[in-house]
Amino acid sequence: MEFYQTELRLSPYKRGFHLITDEIINAIPEIKGIKMGMLQVFIKHTSASLTINENADPTVRIDFESHMNVMVPENAPYYRHDYEGSDDMPAHIKASLMGASVQIPITNGRLNIGIWQGVYLCEHRNRAGGRMLVVSAFGN
């Protein structure tokens, strides 16, 4: 079994949900040599997250952002952690709800995801810097 790992620094994205599948694939070309295996992507931040969902219709990403803002509003009167602004604590909660990693099967050198699926960076801060991902691939 072979193991590969790299770190990927994403350019800053505005708040919202963004497709990053191609950036991940480009960061770890060794995937092409794996017949059967797994890809894991982990985000090294507590105010952004990763998920897999619709890759074709951009309104899905807009609706995700709208729904998360209703579920986890800013300026809730019970928030104590607000040192970095009104979006800070909601960003931590959203990141925990969405998750810090995704796993995708690799089959015959390609990600084995559905035709309408893609990996999202879920950026929960209003003014975030570039995010760091750890991208690991392993298999035979």
Side-chain angles (χ1 to χ4, degrees):
M1 185 176 300
E2 299 291 327
F3 290 86
Y4 306 98
Q5 188 173 83
T6 190
E7 291 200 21
L8 169 61
R9 175 175 287 286
L10 299 172
S11 296
Y13 281 88
K14 66 179 185 173
R15 181 170 166 168
F17 290 70
H18 308 278
L19 280 170
I20 59 168
T21 311
D22 289 342
E23 291 179 72
I24 293 166
I25 292 169
N26 292 335
I28 193 154
E30 295 88 352
I31 289 172
K32 294 175 186 161
I34 297 174
K35 184 175 172 93
M36 182 174 56
M38 292 295 291
L39 176 78
Q40 181 181 32
V41 185
F42 174 80
I43 191 164
K44 296 173 68 171
H45 301 276
T46 61
S47 59
S49 55
L50 300 170
T51 194
I52 296 173
N53 215 290
E54 167 81 46
N55 70 359
D57 183 350
T59 63
V60 171
R61 297 189 304 276
I62 294 167
D63 289 346
F64 257 110
E65 176 66 14
S66 297
H67 186 78
M68 290 301 288
N69 291 334
V70 170
M71 276 182 48
V72 187
E74 293 185 17
N75 299 309
Y78 48 84
Y79 292 158
R80 299 290 178 255
H81 180 78
D82 59 3
Y83 309 118
E84 296 177 37
S86 62
D87 66 326
D88 190 27
M89 191 62 222
H92 292 301
I93 295 169
K94 292 172 185 178
S96 287
L97 290 172
M98 299 299 294
S101 66
V102 295
Q103 289 187 302
I104 304 167
I106 301 169
T107 305
N108 296 323
R110 300 183 66 177
L111 298 184
N112 195 346
I113 56 179
I115 192 167
W116 306 115
Q117 288 182 311
V119 179
Y120 290 5
L121 166 67
C122 313
E123 179 53 71
H124 306 301
R125 295 301 310 268
N126 291 330
R127 290 172 294 283
R131 301 298 192 167
M132 289 295 297
L133 305 179
V134 179
V135 182
S136 306
F138 56 92
N140 298 315

